Amino acid sequence: MQTHEIVRRFTAHFEQAGHTPVPSASLILEDPQLLFVNAGMVQFKPYFLGDVPAPYPRATSIQKCVRTPDIDEVGKTTRHTTFFQMAGNFSFGDYFKRGAIEFAWSLITRSQDDGGYGFDPEIIWVTVYHDDDEAIALWKEIAGLPEERIQRRGGDDNYWDMGVPGPGGPCSEIYVDRGPEFGAEGGPEADEDRYLEIWNLVFMQDERGPLSPKKGHPPIGTLPHKNIDTGMGVERVAFLLQGVNNVYETDLVRPVIAKAEELSGKRYGAGGPEGEIDDVRFRVIADHARSSLMIIGDGVTPGNEGRGYVLRRLLRRVVRSARLLGITGPCLAEFAAVVRDAMSPTYPELATDFERISAVIRAEEDTFRATLTAGERIFSGAVEEARRTQRTVLPGDQAFQLHDTYGFPIDLTLEMAAEAGLTVDRERFTALMDSQRARAKADAAGRKVGFVDASVYRAVLDTHGATDFLGYQTCESESRVVGLLRDGATVPAAHEGEQVEVLLDRTPFYAEAGGQQADSGLLRGASFEVRVDDVQSPVAGLRVHRGVVTAGTVTLDAEVVAEVDRTRRSAISRAHTATHLVHAGVRGALGSTAAQAGSLNAPGRLRFDFTSPTGAVPPAALVEIEEEVNSVLQEDREIQTYETSIDEARTLGAMMLFGEKYGDRVRVVDMGDYSRELCGGTHVRRTGELGLVRVLSEASIGSGVRRVEALVGLDAFKHATTEHLLVNQLAEQLKARPEELPERINGIVERLRTAERDLEKHRADAVLASAGALAQQAEDLDGTALVAVTAPDGVGGNDLRTLAADVRGKLGERPGVVALFGVDGEKVSFVVATTKAARDNGIAAGKLIGEFAPAVGGRGGGKPDLAQGGGTDPSGVDAAIQKLRTAIRG
């Protein structure tokens, strides 16, 4: 049975049983605890947590999932994969254990001719939580399972919760016995390779406290509504029904291996030690190519942090595995096309958006291939050095160089080191990474509500309901205080000078979302005032006003007038509208591969990030985009906002952002045939209200991602005025018309460069002229001439090496050593050069450096004829020269 048919039958089975089919959520959801969606229930968490009421009593979905903790194990075993599909059925206070068991047993064992999967009931085993007698009785009654094929297991295996206080419950797992050729008798307790888990039924009935029942701690209560959460592994069912040995041989994965066989000329499953190693590489390619395509499809681009880092690591493991199989040319796009053809019947967006996806993949492969050869050469040299010196640890400095210079993720370096029988100094690597991050600017946007305890917010939501948002219609409203928090705890009152979080029954304040900054303003009561500095939505449906009590005392149930800072709101709204226009202009100029990857809408300015696999946007294109956007402003188009169904929005061609999860009803911001996007932000009524849009810059912020920054309205006008004044001043100083300035300035710059080159030549000549005098200062050390001095001020780097070589040449045929030190502030650089006669006597420059470098707090190395290094203690130069004399005499 093909995988798509397995999926179809699952959905049909539960749809016929009254379940609402729910499309797979994006792999990217706004959950601070998850990089990627890793289970079918994730999109339903708000319903299970009680944050919002479930819109249906029963649901079913086929959820795409990615789990990344076991990336290193992928390929080494046939059980670990990063991407998989989880089929699930869910009940929100509707049916419970009996219904879940009946639905699962019916689908699993019903004949294939009758729409089921046709598993033999005699090979089905189940496990239950150790004290769940009710589930055992139901399995006996409904399925007729004998006692010996029902096994009780502890909390680690058969209890489920979210890892935090909240809902949880016992679970029952369904296993298929693959037969004695796959392992020992005795059920799942004895061997989980032979007895393969295919489905987990979670009976969500408990309220978990701070300590988990998984570890033997009792629940703190019973849920008022019992729920069902199940997950069936589609790929596991597929390989069982297709008669193959593992997921890599199923119909949706094996084609990628076949493509790798075609490109490499090698055969999967060839056997032998080398064949087993190659099989690991084939499986890495198959799994990671599929995962990467699905992740890019949901809007992630390769980067150095978070999801982008995971994606980059997956793609680069594919490239390296292919290279080790003998595939020398670009290959990612070919693997991606195979994945697209296999997966698009279930996920058609992979086909419709393949141009963008393949562009991202090609750009990352080109970038990595350009550095892979050089990086592997550096790595091989480090391995040879470690073996030569009988070390088993690769220095953290070299691991950091591979990461920082050659783009090797540390995990790839660890993997390659393990293949070479080495470990890596992670402590040193981490220290260098931390130092680098400390020097970089920290972008704290989007982390304001990261890992908060949301229980206090949910309590307000349960009691008073969601905040009624009025901000689309007005900037002022009469409201009531329904919640007060200070330092994360509920309080009855807050006094003047205190930081406070205020929750209202309704509000005109916009909470930060979708790249739009939050509103600010005031909450005025009869005898108090609160200055609102920030507004967030830590729980869906609530808006939390954060600020300071500037007068009086605010109390629960107090009546307030909520006033948004209209000037700030208007400026932000203009920026947000301009972002939509810039987005449309960029896509018009660059094509559909230029997809939005982030934005910031602040008063008077905007930042728009987008994917651009082809690199920088040409300056001429930026000018065209700016002109086109301002022409739309001049047309003073009406901007309409309206709600519609998601299907109607697609029909209208509304732009939907990758990674966003949309409900059945969506809000459309419509600027006619120029821009039409789904958006929950605030906007102006007509494009003419923007006044002016000035594009300031365009630059890279990561591999394949560019950023445009622009000013809007009065800020744009002020910038234009300042720029005009500056141009006029330059024109006056250079006695040229404004249009002549580029040519005039280029001429001045070229003359400066010529003068600098002449100056450099004169300086080099002066340095070399001192070589003869230095050679005459050579002292005799038992037949070896030594020139060891501090070089003239300003001599360092290449000049120091050139001078050392020239002094060595003037020593003639006799044994000689030249050691020159350059001092620049708190830094010391040094170069050692030896004559051939000295080397014949066993004197090597690189070894000499090892003798004296510690005296200046440094290190270095090189070849016997020329070596160099540096240090941090200029006061030790004299001591270093003395150690050099001792080493030469020795």
Side-chain angles (χ1 to χ4, degrees):
M1 185 181 297
Q2 300 296 291
T3 303
H4 295 306
E5 177 61 15
I6 293 170
V7 167
R8 190 199 66 76
R9 290 188 181 210
F10 189 96
T11 303
H13 174 72
F14 284 101
E15 195 170 358
Q16 289 168 7
H19 293 67
T20 299
V22 179
S24 171
S26 166
L27 285 167
I28 317 303
L29 292 183
E30 291 184 5
D31 189 325
Q33 296 178 342
L34 293 176
L35 276 180
F36 300 102
V37 168
N38 62 0
M41 59 77 59
V42 172
Q43 68 168 316
F44 302 111
K45 276 176 67 173
Y47 311 148
F48 288 131
L49 289 169
D51 291 345
V52 293
Y56 26 66
R58 305 177 177 191
T60 184
S61 71
I62 310 295
Q63 176 63 49
K64 48 190 175 183
C65 302
V66 168
R67 290 181 184 170
T68 59
D70 296 323
I71 287 179
D72 293 329
E73 298 303 314
V74 170
K76 298 176 184 176
T77 74
T78 56
R79 296 178 59 188
H80 290 90
T81 59
T82 51
F83 174 82
F84 59 95
Q85 299 175 90
M86 187 66 77
N89 58 287
F90 309 90
S91 166
F92 309 105
D94 190 6
Y95 62 84
F96 197 48
K97 291 183 184 179
R98 174 178 292 276
I101 292 172
E102 286 176 342
F103 288 136
W105 184 255
S106 171
L107 178 60
I108 289 172
T109 60
R110 194 166 65 244
S111 72
Q112 293 189 8
D113 291 341
D114 197 25
Y117 293 146
F119 283 104
D120 181 356
E122 298 301 317
I123 65 171
I124 304 297
W125 291 61
V126 299
T127 61
V128 298
Y129 189 49
H130 66 89
D131 66 356
D132 194 352
D133 295 331
E134 179 187 2
I136 291 176
L138 287 169
W139 277 116
K140 291 178 178 178
E141 174 194 341
I142 295 167
L145 286 178
E147 186 84 32
E148 60 269 20
R149 282 197 274 132
I150 305 174
Q151 295 185 330
R152 298 175 186 262
R153 304 185 81 172
D156 283 341
D157 295 298
N158 279 73
Y159 194 93
W160 178 92
D161 59 42
M162 295 185 186
V164 294
C171 56
S172 183
E173 297 171 331
I174 303 172
Y175 292 78
V176 173
D177 181 2
R178 302 170 67 197
E181 64 271 29
F182 292 99
E185 297 276 357
E189 282 267 292
D191 192 326
E192 289 200 7
D193 282 326
R194 170 176 171 173
Y195 300 89
L196 187 75
E197 180 194 348
I198 62 169
W199 206 336
N200 187 14
L201 314 177
V202 178
F203 310 130
M204 207 178 295
Q205 63 190 38
D206 301 328
E207 183 177 355
R208 194 206 108 155
L211 302 176
S212 174
K214 290 175 71 69
K215 302 301 180 183
H217 303 283
I220 62 173
T222 301
L223 294 176
H225 302 291
K226 296 179 179 180
N227 306 312
I228 288 294
D229 158 29
T230 85
M232 185 192 83
V234 171
E235 283 78 8
R236 291 192 175 191
V237 172
F239 86 70
L240 290 172
L241 293 182
Q242 291 174 19
V244 295
N245 289 325
N246 55 67
V247 64
Y248 294 99
E249 298 173 11
T250 58
D251 59 315
L252 298 188
V253 185
R254 186 62 175 82
V256 183
I257 293 179
K259 173 58 71 172
E261 289 177 313
E262 174 191 328
L263 295 176
S264 68
K266 296 188 175 183
R267 184 170 63 86
Y268 178 68
E274 184 62 32
E276 290 178 3
I277 295 173
D278 284 343
D279 285 352
V280 171
R281 295 163 181 161
F282 279 119
R283 289 192 287 265
V284 167
I285 290 170
D287 174 82
H288 290 2
R290 196 160 78 131
S291 300
S292 299
L293 193 79
M294 303 303 293
I295 292 170
I296 296 170
D298 279 346
V300 180
T301 55
N304 292 325
E305 299 288 341
R307 300 180 181 108
Y309 173 78
V310 173
L311 173 60
R312 170 162 287 165
R313 184 181 173 196
L314 292 172
L315 289 170
R316 294 188 170 189
R317 288 192 86 206
V318 173
V319 173
R320 183 166 180 269
S321 295
R323 190 184 183 94
L324 293 172
L325 284 174
I327 302 172
T328 57
C331 59
L332 283 183
E334 294 196 58
F335 294 141
V338 175
V339 175
R340 173 202 61 198
D341 295 342
M343 301 297 293
S344 57
T346 299
Y347 306 102
E349 64 272 14
L350 297 178
T352 57
D353 199 33
F354 189 69
E355 180 185 358
R356 179 188 65 85
I357 295 171
S358 58
V360 171
I361 285 174
R362 283 194 298 270
E364 180 64 17
E365 182 172 24
D366 290 344
T367 300
F368 187 47
R369 282 172 57 82
T371 60
L372 182 58
T373 300
E376 285 181 332
R377 187 165 56 249
I378 296 294
F379 178 82
S380 297
V383 170
E384 290 175 7
E385 174 66 17
R387 288 173 174 164
R388 187 179 62 79
T389 56
Q390 297 184 331
R391 287 187 286 107
T392 60
V393 180
L394 195 70
D397 299 70
Q398 290 174 323
F400 180 75
Q401 180 190 16
L402 285 166
H403 166 83
D404 199 45
T405 305
Y406 298 100
F408 276 42
I410 181 59
D411 308 276
L412 178 57
T413 302
L414 291 170
E415 185 177 319
M416 293 168 63
E419 291 171 357
L422 301 173
T423 58
V424 176
D425 183 353
R426 287 296 300 272
E427 186 175 346
R428 173 62 177 165
F429 173 83
T430 302
L432 291 169
M433 285 295 295
D434 290 344
S435 176
Q436 184 188 64
R437 291 191 182 103
R439 291 192 300 268
K441 288 185 178 180
D443 183 2
R447 300 180 184 176
K448 295 181 180 180
V449 295
F451 293 94
V452 296
D453 179 3
S455 60
V456 288
Y457 301 122
R458 283 199 291 270
V460 176
L461 184 66
D462 291 341
T463 304
H464 299 283
T467 310
D468 186 12
F469 178 59
L470 309 174
Y472 293 139
Q473 297 83 31
T474 182
C475 284
E476 182 176 318
S477 73
E478 295 180 354
S479 308
R480 182 171 64 89
V481 177
V482 297
L484 278 177
L485 282 78
R486 196 171 65 243
D487 298 327
T490 301
V491 293
H495 308 289
E496 184 174 343
E498 292 181 338
Q499 296 276 346
V500 68
E501 293 184 336
V502 183
L503 290 85
L504 305 175
D505 60 345
R506 57 184 194 159
T507 182
F509 282 82
Y510 183 85
E512 181 178 356
Q516 179 171 329
Q517 288 189 344
D519 284 333
S520 61
L522 296 173
L523 303 179
R524 300 181 190 273
S527 59
F528 64 86
E529 183 176 279
V530 178
R531 185 187 74 234
V532 177
D533 300 318
D534 186 27
V535 187
Q536 296 292 327
S537 181
V539 171
L542 282 187
R543 293 173 188 260
V544 179
H545 308 74
R546 296 174 174 171
V548 178
V549 182
T550 55
T553 298
V554 57
T555 61
L556 278 171
D557 292 323
E559 299 295 327
V560 303
V561 175
E563 301 176 9
V564 172
D565 182 335
R566 295 173 186 268
T567 301
R568 174 182 167 85
R569 161 70 78 82
S570 296
I572 293 175
S573 297
R574 286 193 294 269
H576 201 156
T577 301
T579 299
H580 284 223
L581 293 171
V582 170
H583 186 186
V586 167
R587 287 179 67 86
L590 305 181
S592 61
T593 59
Q596 182 169 337
S599 65
L600 172 69
N601 306 299
R605 62 187 178 90
L606 67 91
R607 190 177 71 204
F608 176 69
D609 301 339
F610 59 96
T611 55
S612 179
T614 56
V617 180
L622 278 181
V623 172
E624 291 177 5
I625 292 168
E626 183 180 80
E627 289 179 352
E628 184 175 283
V629 167
N630 281 289
S631 70
V632 175
L633 270 55
Q634 189 174 7
E635 293 168 4
D636 195 25
R637 298 189 180 200
E638 181 182 4
I639 298 173
Q640 297 180 329
T641 58
Y642 51 87
E643 286 194 358
T644 186
S645 68
I646 186 70
D647 292 336
E648 178 63 20
R650 288 194 181 98
T651 301
L652 292 171
M655 180 65 60
M656 301 179 188
L657 302 185
F658 298 109
E660 291 288 331
K661 178 173 172 58
Y662 299 106
D664 293 333
R665 301 291 296 176
V666 293
R667 183 171 183 262
V668 180
V669 177
D670 194 330
M671 303 179 199
D673 58 359
Y674 190 73
S675 170
R676 185 176 290 119
E677 291 191 35
L678 303 192
C679 180
T682 62
H683 294 271
V684 299
R685 291 181 174 83
R686 305 190 70 88
T687 60
E689 294 178 40
L690 272 58
L692 180 67
V693 174
R694 289 297 303 271
V695 175
L696 299 181
S697 63
E698 187 273 350
S700 171
I701 60 168
S703 178
V705 182
R706 311 291 298 183
R707 171 172 291 171
V708 167
E709 299 195 54
L711 296 177
V712 185
L714 186 59
D715 293 86
F717 178 76
K718 288 179 178 177
H719 181 270
T721 302
T722 302
E723 198 173 66
H724 179 69
L725 180 61
L726 178 62
V727 168
N728 283 344
Q729 289 175 340
L730 284 172
E732 184 174 342
Q733 287 182 346
L734 297 177
K735 307 302 181 186
R737 294 192 301 273
E739 61 270 20
E740 296 172 343
L741 285 177
E743 183 178 353
R744 184 67 61 86
I745 292 173
N746 283 338
I748 293 172
V749 169
E750 187 56 39
R751 288 196 295 275
L752 283 173
R753 287 174 179 164
T754 300
E756 287 173 352
R757 286 194 293 268
D758 291 342
L759 183 61
E760 178 68 20
K761 184 177 184 304
H762 288 306
R763 192 171 62 83
D765 290 343
V767 167
L768 294 177
S770 66
L774 290 175
Q776 290 177 4
Q777 298 176 21
E779 60 181 300
D780 183 86
L781 296 179
D782 300 332
T784 298
L786 171 64
V787 177
V789 297
T790 300
D793 290 344
V795 178
N798 290 331
D799 289 341
L800 203 62
R801 287 192 296 273
T802 301
L803 181 57
D806 205 52
V807 174
R808 176 181 60 186
K810 295 187 180 302
L811 293 178
E813 300 297 325
R814 54 181 168 161
V817 175
V818 179
L820 301 183
F821 294 81
V823 177
D824 182 10
E826 296 300 315
K827 294 183 179 180
V828 183
S829 56
F830 45 80
V831 174
V832 176
T834 60
T835 64
K836 183 178 183 304
R839 295 194 295 276
D840 290 342
N841 290 342
I843 299 176
K847 291 183 179 179
L848 289 176
I849 280 183
E851 297 292 335
F852 71 76
V856 291
R859 59 182 179 177
K863 298 179 180 180
D865 63 326
L866 186 69
Q868 64 186 38
T872 58
D873 184 8
S875 66
V877 170
D878 290 341
I881 292 174
Q882 187 57 46
K883 287 183 177 293
L884 179 63
R885 291 191 181 103
T886 302
I888 292 174
R889 287 194 175 100

